[in-house]
Amino acid sequence: NAGVTQTPKFQVLKTGQSMTLQCAQDMNHNSMYWYRQDPGMGLRLIYYSASEGTTDKGEVPNGYNVSRLNKREFSLRLESAAPSQTSVYFCASSRDSSTEAFFGQGTRLTVV
Amino acid sequence: QQQVKQSPQSLIVQKGGISIINCAYENTAFDYFPWYQQFPGKGPALLIAIRPDVSEKKEGRFTISFNKSAKQFSLHIMDSQPGDSATYFCAATSSGTYKYIFGTGTRLKVLA
């Protein structure tokens, strides 16, 4: 039972490069999320998808775009990476709001 | 109003001792309060959660105490073990919002 799978696990980008972080869940969850984790700041919501076909901005959406490809997959795209986007990114999913969120293993992204 | 304030930032406890982590919130619409445990290099994993209709929930050595009038909730780890050494995050959310608000985390170290 894989749960939430993120790829890649590590990535180094140069400023201005673009990339897409992939996330897939196999729990038939309706809702999916992208968070970033920075030292001393906890986890901050970037974007979320309450259900297939919908996406909404979270707390820190600037510089990011998302796509809910289908019920299983939710991708995060950085169009023009900046050093301020150096962080650990976590994808999560939940059956619905106010229910347990399951997290992936994270993607450690460094922008130089 | 959306913040969840967590303290302390770090905690050192002797093996067998009690670890206590506190969180406070402002938004009275929050109706789900989970605690997550995160080991280095891993994603957060749900430890225990509570809803505001109960004042305490216990699972093994882990207990959540919830004070609705004070808008505070805390995690107690009884008989703390070195294997409990991790970062703990409190969180809060409300039905229909899909936005989990996380505290800034507490790094717990249990000395053998």
Side-chain angles (χ1 to χ4, degrees), chain A residues 68-85:
Chain A
R68 182 77 182 264
L69 304 170
N70 47 57
K71 192 171 186 178
R72 290 186 65 248
E73 298 173 290
F74 188 39
S75 63
L76 178 72
R77 182 159 178 84
L78 287 71
E79 291 291 352
S80 179
S84 61
Q85 294 178 305

Side-chain angles (χ1 to χ4, degrees), chain A residues 31 33 35 37 40-43 45 48 50 57-58 90 94 96-106 108, chain B residues 9 31-32 36 38 41-46 51 87 89 93-105:
Chain A
S31 307
Y33 313 83
Y35 286 89
Q37 184 175 32
M41 302 191 76
L43 292 116
L45 182 64
Y48 67 97
K57 295 178 180 179
F90 286 100
S94 67
D96 203 344
S97 66
S98 294
T99 59
E100 178 181 359
F102 292 80
F103 284 80
Q105 296 273 54
R108 185 173 294 274
Chain B
Q9 192 172 9
D31 60 3
Y32 180 66
Y36 282 84
Q38 184 180 29
K42 303 292 185 182
L46 182 70
R51 297 191 188 272
T87 299
F89 292 95
T93 187
S94 54
S95 298
T97 66
Y98 301 93
K99 295 181 179 180
Y100 294 77
I101 308 300
F102 284 83
T104 51

Side-chain angles (χ1 to χ4, degrees), chain B residues 73-92:
Chain B
F73 59 110
S74 59
L75 175 69
H76 296 236
I77 305 174
M78 311 300 286
D79 187 27
S80 299
Q81 298 297 312
D84 296 331
S85 297
T87 299
Y88 293 81
F89 292 95
C90 62

Side-chain angles (χ1 to χ4, degrees), chain A residues 3-41:
Chain A
V4 179
T5 302
Q6 291 182 235
T7 55
K9 287 185 170 51
F10 301 95
Q11 184 72 47
V12 179
L13 288 179
K14 292 182 179 179
T15 297
Q17 286 186 318
S18 62
M19 79 161 295
T20 299
L21 281 64
Q22 306 286 353
C23 175
Q25 52 92 8
D26 63 1
M27 295 173 282
N28 199 37
H29 283 167
N30 293 312
S31 307
M32 297 185 74
Y33 313 83
W34 276 105
Y35 286 89
R36 59 178 289 173
Q37 184 175 32
D38 302 291
M41 302 191 76

